[in-house]
Amino acid sequence: MNRWLAALLYALLCAVTFVVCFPLLWAISTSLKPKEEIFRWPPTLLPERFTFESYRELLFGGSAASAPGAGTPPSDFFLHWFANSIIVSVGSTVISITVATLAAYSLTRFRFFGQRAVPYVAIMGYMIPSVIFVFPMFLTLVELDLTDTLLGLTLGYVCITLPFCLWLMWAFFRGVPLEIEEAALVDGASRLQVFRQIVLPVALPGIIAASIFAFIVSWNDYLFGRVFMNSMELLPLTVGVMHFFDGTHVDWGLMMASSVLMTVPMAILFGFMQRHLVAGFGAGAVKG
Amino acid sequence: MTDVVISGLSKSFGSNRVLQSLDLRVPSRQFVTLLGPSGCGKTTLLRLIAGLEKSSQGEIRFGEKRVDTLAPGDRNIAMVFQSYALYPTMSVARNIGYGLEVRRIGKPERTARIGAVAKVLEILHLLARKPKALSGGQRQRVALGRAMVRKPDIFLMDEPLSNLDAKLRAAMRGELRRFHLDLGTTTIYVTHDQLEAMTMSDLVVVMNEGVVQQIGTPEEVYARPANLFVAGFIGTPPMNLVPARHEGGVLSVAGAKLPVAVPPGAPAELILGIRPQDLGVARPGDAGTIPGKVWMVELIGSERLIEMEVAPKLRLTAEVRARQRAAIDDAIAFRPDPAQIHLFDPATGASLTAAR
Ligand SMILES: Nc1ncnc2c1ncn2[C@@H]1O[C@H](COP(=O)(O)OP(=O)(O)OP(=O)(O)O)[C@@H](O)[C@H]1O
Ligand SMILES: [Mg+2]
C-alpha cells in the first residue's frame, strides 16, 4: 500500500517537474534549430540539425543575415545587455543586502522609537505593486538626472528589493539568540567584533537567501528597465531581447538563445549557494 | 583574590522592581550560590554583576575597584549561561579560545591553553566539532572550558546543570565542586535546585522577589532558617508550618501541649515549623505528642511519608523509616523533637528561634 503511494507520488513529482522544465527544454531545443526548422509544422521536438548559429550571432555578432540598410543589428548589443544586467543586479543586491543587514540588526538589538513598526511597514511597502510607484520614481529620477543610467536603474531595484530583504533579515536576526552575543561581550569582544565574528557567520544563510531573492528580482525585472532606460547600449537583458521582435516578425532563434543564456547566471548562482543555504544554521548554540 | 561587594543594588524593568536594595558580600575564593524560586531575580543579579544589565541604583565592587561603569569585557569575569550560548559557527576549540583570541593572545599560547583546559574537561576528542554535534553534557563542558581558559577573577554560572538528566547532573555537581577547589576562583552560582545549593556551596544566598532572605552556610540555612520563606523553601519534603498558640509559657498546636520553651516577648499566636524528619510516630495519648488520623501514606524508597490530619485543613507530614507501617484513617500521633522546633512571628515571618 505504502509502496503504491510512494510510486504514485513519485510519478506525480515527475509530471510536475516535466511541466515546470518544459519551457526551458523547449527554449534550448529551439535555440539549437536552424531558422527554417523553427516554424516547421508539425514542430520537431529535437532539432533535426543542430546549429549554434543563434548563439554565435549573439556572442560574436556580425550576422550576415542582418537586414540591409539598418544600423547595427540588435544582436550586436547582446553582450552589452548581459553586462548591464549583471552590473545592475549585482549592484542592487550588494546595496540592498548591506543596508538590510545593518538595519535589521539594529532593529532587533537596539531600542528606539518605531522599532516594532519598521519591519511591518517595510513588508507592507513590498506588497504594493511596482506599477504604482514606477512612474513617481521615474519622475524622481528625472529630477536627479539619473534616467537612462545604470545607477538610476540600480537604485530602482534597491527600492523594490530592500523592503523584503530587510524583513527577511529582521526575521532572521530575531532568531539569533542574544546570549551568544553577550557571551562574546563577556569574552572581551567589541561590538564590531561581535557583529563580524559572531553574528554575521550565523546570519550567513539568511544573507544568502536574501541575496538570491534580490538578485532574481533585479535580473528578471522588465518594467523598470523598460521605463527608466532608453539608450540601446544601456538596456538590461530583459528589455533588450524585445528588440528581436521588430514589429512584424520575431526572431525566435535569437530570443530562445538569449533566454537560455539568461538562465546561466541563475543556474551558477544556485549551484554555488544551495550548499550554503542548507549548511550550518545556528542549531546547537543553545541547549536541547 | 577577588571578593564581590554589592551594596544597595536595585534594578527595575519599567515598573517591575526586580531587585530591591540588595546588599551582598561574596568573600574571595568562595563558592556562593544564589538560590530562589523562578523569577526571583537571580539571573538579573548575575547579569548586573557581569555588566550585561545596567543597575537602577547601588554599586558593585570587585575588591576595591568599582565596576558598575565597566564594560563586560573589562571586568575579567567569565560567565556560563543558562543556555550555554556557544558560538554556533565556530569549532569547539575556537569557542574555548575566542576570549583569548580577542585579547590578542598568540596562537601557540592559545593552543596550549585550549589543550590544557580540554584535557581537564575530557573533551580533547571534540575540539574540531561544531557545537550542534555535541550532547548536552558535552556542550556544558565546552561552556565551562570557555570560562576556565580565561583564568578570570570571578566565575558566574547561571543554572548550568538545569538541562542535564539527573544522573549527569549529580556527576557534574561533584566535578564543578572539584574545579572550584582546584582553581580557587570566586564563584557565583545561580540555581533554583536546593540540592545543588546545599551540596556545592560555601555560602547560600536565599532570594525571593528580589530581596535577600538569608545568607549562610548550607547548614545554617537548613538548621536555622531566618524566616518563613526560607523555612518553607529549603528541605524536602518541605517543613511543616502550622499555627500554634502559647499561653502561660505553654505552647500548643490544635490543643495538643508541647514541651517547648517559647522565647520571651513572642506573640500569643505563632507559627510552628517542624521538618518531617524531626517528627516521630507515637501512640495517641502520649504526652508531648500531636494526635490525629492518618490521611495518606507514601513510600519513597527507604523512607515512608506519613501525612496526618490533625484538624480539618491542618496536616502534618512525618518522614519515618519504611518499616514503620500505618494504615489510612488509623488514629496516630506525632512526637516532635523539641530541639528542632522553629517558631515564627506570623506578622513579620521572622524566626523567633533562629538566634538560639
Ligand atoms: N529584560 C527584561 N525586561 C523586563 N522584565 C524582565 C527582564 N528580565 C527579567 N525580567 C523580570 O525580572 C524578574 C526576574 O527575572 P530573572 O530572570 O532574574 O529570574 P530568575 O530568578 O533568574 O528566574 P529563573 O529561575 O526562572 O531563571 C522576572 O519577573 C522577569 O519577568
Ligand atoms: Mg534565570
Side-chain angles (χ1 to χ4, degrees):
Chain A
M1 180 61 208
N2 253 335
R3 285 255 295 281
W4 285 111
L5 201 68
L8 198 71
L9 206 66
Y10 194 76
L12 197 72
L13 285 176
C14 284
V16 170
T17 311
F18 181 74
V19 170
V20 170
C21 288
F22 186 76
L24 183 62
L25 295 177
W26 188 250
I28 294 175
S29 162
T30 306
S31 71
L32 291 171
K33 287 176 187 171
K35 298 212 188 300
E36 61 281 6
E37 197 184 326
I38 294 175
F39 289 103
R40 175 146 356 129
W41 194 263
T44 46
L45 200 58
L46 289 175
E48 277 168 3
R49 194 167 62 80
F50 284 91
T51 171
F52 289 97
E53 184 58 27
S54 301
Y55 291 96
R56 201 188 56 76
E57 211 175 313
L58 289 176
L59 297 176
F60 306 106
S63 144
S66 62
T72 336
S75 59
D76 279 12
F77 287 103
F78 181 81
L79 287 178
H80 278 289
W81 298 338
F82 202 91
N84 293 341
S85 272
I86 296 259
I87 292 169
V88 170
S89 302
V90 169
S92 66
T93 302
V94 168
I95 297 175
S96 274
I97 293 302
T98 311
V99 174
T101 305
L102 294 172
Y105 181 71
S106 62
L107 279 172
T108 55
R109 293 301 189 251
F110 302 106
R111 294 173 144 261
F112 53 86
F113 178 76
Q115 182 185 26
R116 301 183 140 268
V118 174
Y120 293 100
V121 172
I123 193 74
M124 267 159 59
Y126 173 67
M127 284 169 187
I128 300 171
S130 20
V131 245
I132 291 182
F133 52 79
V134 65
F135 289 104
M137 212 185 268
F138 177 70
L139 295 178
T140 312
L141 288 184
V142 171
E143 292 281 311
L144 295 171
D145 212 9
L146 284 176
T147 48
D148 203 20
T149 61
L150 291 182
L151 178 62
L153 190 57
T154 306
L155 291 179
Y157 291 153
V158 169
C159 289
I160 47 173
T161 55
L162 181 59
F164 188 72
C165 289
L166 172 66
W167 192 81
L168 203 72
M169 293 311 298
W170 173 77
F172 207 89
F173 279 129
R174 274 206 315 177
V176 178
L178 194 55
E179 287 200 337
I180 65 175
E181 291 177 44
E182 291 176 337
L185 286 178
V186 171
D187 260 349
S190 66
R191 273 238 166 247
L192 199 67
Q193 275 174 320
V194 171
F195 186 71
R196 280 204 357 246
Q197 298 174 341
I198 309 290
V199 178
L200 277 189
V202 175
L204 196 64
I207 292 177
I208 289 174
S211 308
I212 289 179
F213 162 81
F215 191 86
I216 290 177
V217 167
S218 314
W219 185 260
N220 287 344
D221 167 79
Y222 177 77
L223 182 64
F224 281 56
R226 184 76 186 75
V227 175
F228 293 177
M229 307 309 276
N230 211 358
S231 319
M232 200 61 172
E233 70 277 6
L234 288 177
L235 296 179
L237 255 182
T238 44
V239 180
V241 296
M242 291 316 280
H243 285 93
F244 297 142
F245 172 56
D246 63 6
T248 51
H249 123 276
V250 183
D251 192 330
W252 285 112
L254 290 180
M255 200 75 125
M256 290 301 119
S258 307
S259 310
V260 172
L261 289 175
M262 243 180 111
T263 54
V264 169
M266 290 297 174
I268 294 176
L269 191 70
F270 270 104
F272 272 108
M273 298 301 194
Q274 201 187 16
R275 198 162 42 90
H276 291 282
L277 263 182
V278 187
F281 172 46
V286 180
K287 285 184 195 176
Chain B
M1 299 299 120
T2 311
D3 50 352
V4 180
V5 183
I6 294 167
S7 33
L9 192 69
S10 297
K11 173 72 187 173
S12 307
F13 292 107
S15 60
N16 181 7
R17 298 185 59 188
V18 176
L19 294 180
Q20 302 178 25
S21 186
L22 189 133
D23 295 307
L24 175 64
R25 185 166 171 277
V26 176
S28 177
R29 307 181 71 96
Q30 299 244 309
F31 194 111
V32 174
T33 307
L34 303 180
L35 176 66
S38 193
C40 72
K42 307 179 296 287
T43 298
T44 306
L45 177 55
L46 212 61
R47 290 171 57 85
L48 280 162
I49 298 172
L52 294 171
E53 213 80 66
K54 278 209 169 20
S55 64
S56 312
Q57 240 171 28
E59 59 176 55
I60 303 173
R61 287 173 194 276
F62 293 170
E64 290 303 301
K65 192 172 59 179
R66 190 152 175 205
V67 296
D68 307 58
T69 52
L70 293 183
D74 299 331
R75 299 187 182 198
N76 202 22
I77 45 162
M79 183 154 172
V80 178
F81 289 77
Q82 200 162 353
S83 61
Y84 304 150
L86 301 181
Y87 311 130
T89 55
M90 297 184 185
S91 67
V92 165
R94 192 151 177 236
N95 256 285
I96 296 177
Y98 186 71
L100 305 177
E101 193 181 314
V102 297
R103 278 156 214 268
R104 297 183 191 287
I105 286 173
K107 185 115 201 250
E109 187 187 341
R110 222 157 68 206
T111 315
R113 278 167 74 173
I114 294 170
V117 167
K119 192 158 168 233
V120 175
L121 292 168
E122 295 170 25
I123 49 173
L124 270 175
H125 59 295
L126 304 175
L127 285 180
R129 292 207 201 157
K130 292 277 172 65
K132 70 164 174 252
L134 301 179
S135 75
Q138 290 167 336
R139 281 177 208 173
Q140 202 239 334
R141 280 157 196 265
V142 176
L144 270 175
R146 190 168 66 180
M148 286 165 61
V149 80
R150 296 241 323 273
K151 305 203 170 100
D153 293 336
I154 298 162
F155 274 133
L156 305 174
M157 303 193 190
D158 194 355
E159 309 200 24
L161 306 186
S162 61
N163 279 31
L164 305 184
D165 69 49
K167 205 166 155 195
L168 190 54
R169 196 182 315 175
M172 287 308 299
R173 274 206 307 265
E175 284 191 40
L176 277 180
R177 184 78 183 123
R178 186 72 229 178
F179 290 144
H180 177 255
L181 292 177
D182 292 345
L183 299 172
T185 309
T186 310
T187 304
I188 304 180
Y189 184 99
V190 165
T191 181
H192 59 236
D193 178 347
Q194 46 170 308
L195 188 63
E196 269 174 34
M198 299 307 262
T199 51
M200 296 168 75
S201 15
D202 298 313
L203 273 182
V204 180
V205 178
V206 184
M207 289 175 63
N208 188 34
E209 297 187 344
V211 177
V212 171
Q213 303 289 326
Q214 186 173 4
I215 303 176
T217 62
E219 294 80 7
E220 279 166 359
V221 293
Y222 184 81
R224 291 197 294 281
N227 57 36
L228 279 173
F229 176 80
V230 179
F233 189 71
I234 290 187
T236 34
M239 183 187 278
N240 296 295
L241 293 167
V242 295
R245 292 184 59 79
H246 85 105
E247 268 169 319
V250 182
L251 187 83
S252 59
V253 171
K257 295 187 169 53
L258 298 175
V260 182
V262 179
E269 303 282 340
L270 293 168
I271 291 188
L272 177 145
I274 180 90
R275 294 199 184 278
Q277 295 82 359
D278 298 326
L279 284 173
V281 174
R283 263 198 312 262
D286 287 0
T289 65
I290 307 167
K293 230 169 43 172
V294 177
W295 172 263
M296 181 52 68
V297 182
E298 283 171 314
L299 182 68
I300 48 163
S302 62
E303 262 74 46
R304 193 184 292 278
L305 296 182
I306 303 179
E307 203 176 341
M308 172 180 79
E309 191 176 53
V310 182
K313 299 215 164 155
L314 181 61
R315 290 185 211 141
L316 289 172
T317 302
E319 185 178 314
V320 297
R321 303 296 310 190
R323 70 180 104 85
Q324 176 87 51
R325 303 207 168 261
I328 287 179
D329 283 347
D330 275 3
I332 195 174
F334 285 167
R335 180 191 302 283
D337 177 349
Q340 302 303 333
I341 285 179
H342 306 264
L343 296 173
F344 302 93
D345 182 338
T348 62
S351 172
L352 303 165
T353 44
R356 88 184 155 200

